[in-house]
């Protein structure tokens, strides 16, 4: 499926604000790919598709997860909002004919990250956090500057901010986020 077809299909399946966010992530990811000598088209596609499962209700996402054999035991009790990132690679493959494993992997870890991410995975993780449509939050200015200087440092800063935010709200921090943070601290 070409980019135009993906954009049309995404615009029809996502709420307007979510679609704008997806476009923002795609263009931010493409910009980061230019800076760090990565494949611009892959970064754009991954950014565009990263939230492709967000158009479904949590109940529908759960149905799809069961269909695809995604284990929900660790996701649902504490963080149902993370279900979309586990589901998105399957939706991208089945509904948008995305076959590139690098893109699918970047889509899968865009929310929590994972230890030892590839540059494309880091780019999508970062672009999702800082794209221009995001509301201003503490530390975002620093993240936006770091993003174009050092991907690893930027990932570390995002994880620090995310964990601090979750702790301040008394929310549970998922084990993938903690594992990723510990990896990027080394």
């Amino acid at each position: 499926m070409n980019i135009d077809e993906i954009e049309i299909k995404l615009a029809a399946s996502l709420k307007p604000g979510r679609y704008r966010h997806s476009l923002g992530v795609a263009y931010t990811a493409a910009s980061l790919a230019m800076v760090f000598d990565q494949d611009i088209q892959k970064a754009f596609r991954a950014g565009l598709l990263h939230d492709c499962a967000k158009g479904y209700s949590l109940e529908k996402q759960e149905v799809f997860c069961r269909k695809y054999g995604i284990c929900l035991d660790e996701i649902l009790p504490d963080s149902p909002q993370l279900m979309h990132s586990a589901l998105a690679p399957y939706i991208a493959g089945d509904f948008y004919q995305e076959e590139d494993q690098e893109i699918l992997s970047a889509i899968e870890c865009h929310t929590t990250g994972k230890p030892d991410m590839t540059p494309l995975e880091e780019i999508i993780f970062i672009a999702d956090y800082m794209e221009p449509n995001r509301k201003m939050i503490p530390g975002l200015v620093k993240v936006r500057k770091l993003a174009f200087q050092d991907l690893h440092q930027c990932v570390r800063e995002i994880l620090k901010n995310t964990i601090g935010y979750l702790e301040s709200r008394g929310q549970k921090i998922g084990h993938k986020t903690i594992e990723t943070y510990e990896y990027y601290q080394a």
Side-chain angles (χ1 to χ4, degrees):
M1 189 175 281
N2 70 39
I3 291 293
D4 292 335
E5 293 168 325
I6 291 171
E7 287 181 9
I8 290 166
K9 195 168 184 176
L10 269 180
S13 70
L14 298 175
K15 291 180 181 177
R18 179 64 50 193
Y19 179 65
R20 265 191 314 280
H21 165 70
S22 295
L23 285 174
V25 173
Y27 283 104
T28 302
S31 297
L32 288 167
M34 286 181 216
V35 170
F36 292 102
D37 197 27
Q38 297 298 305
D39 188 310
I40 298 165
Q41 295 306 313
K42 280 187 182 191
F44 190 89
R45 286 178 76 89
L48 195 57
L49 288 168
H50 83 286
D51 270 352
C52 65
K54 277 245 177 155
Y56 303 106
S57 68
L58 289 176
E59 293 78 20
K60 184 71 172 175
Q61 287 182 44
E62 190 173 347
V63 168
F64 275 127
C65 284
R66 294 191 197 296
K67 172 186 172 187
Y68 293 118
I70 299 168
C71 180
L72 296 173
D73 294 342
E74 295 177 10
I75 299 172
L76 280 183
D78 301 311
S79 304
Q81 69 275 16
L82 297 180
M83 193 171 9
H84 80 280
S85 60
L87 178 58
Y90 296 92
I91 298 297
D94 281 357
F95 293 87
Y96 298 90
Q97 289 82 52
E98 185 56 62
E99 297 176 346
D100 188 299
Q101 290 305 308
E102 272 188 287
I103 290 172
L104 296 173
S105 181
I107 291 169
E108 185 174 16
C109 66
H110 81 269
T111 304
T112 60
K114 70 178 187 182
D116 198 21
M117 288 188 277
T118 66
L120 179 61
E121 290 166 340
E122 291 176 334
I123 284 169
I124 300 307
F125 179 81
I126 292 166
D128 181 43
Y129 187 88
M130 66 169 242
E131 63 93 5
N133 298 301
R134 287 289 195 188
K135 68 177 183 174
M136 191 53 68
I137 57 172
L140 187 57
V141 171
K142 181 177 181 180
V143 164
R144 286 179 171 156
K145 287 179 183 174
L146 272 175
F148 291 94
Q149 298 168 2
D150 188 312
L151 293 175
H152 295 296
Q153 260 190 356
C154 187
V155 167
R156 184 172 37 246
E157 188 69 22
I158 290 170
L159 290 163
K160 182 183 89 171
N161 292 350
T162 300
I163 289 170
Y165 173 77
L166 293 172
E167 286 175 341
S168 75
R169 297 186 56 118
Q171 294 180 317
K172 186 169 181 178
I173 302 162
H175 76 277
K176 277 188 177 180
T177 301
I178 293 169
E179 286 174 11
T180 305
Y181 180 68
E182 288 172 355
Y183 176 86
Y184 278 88
Q185 289 305 303

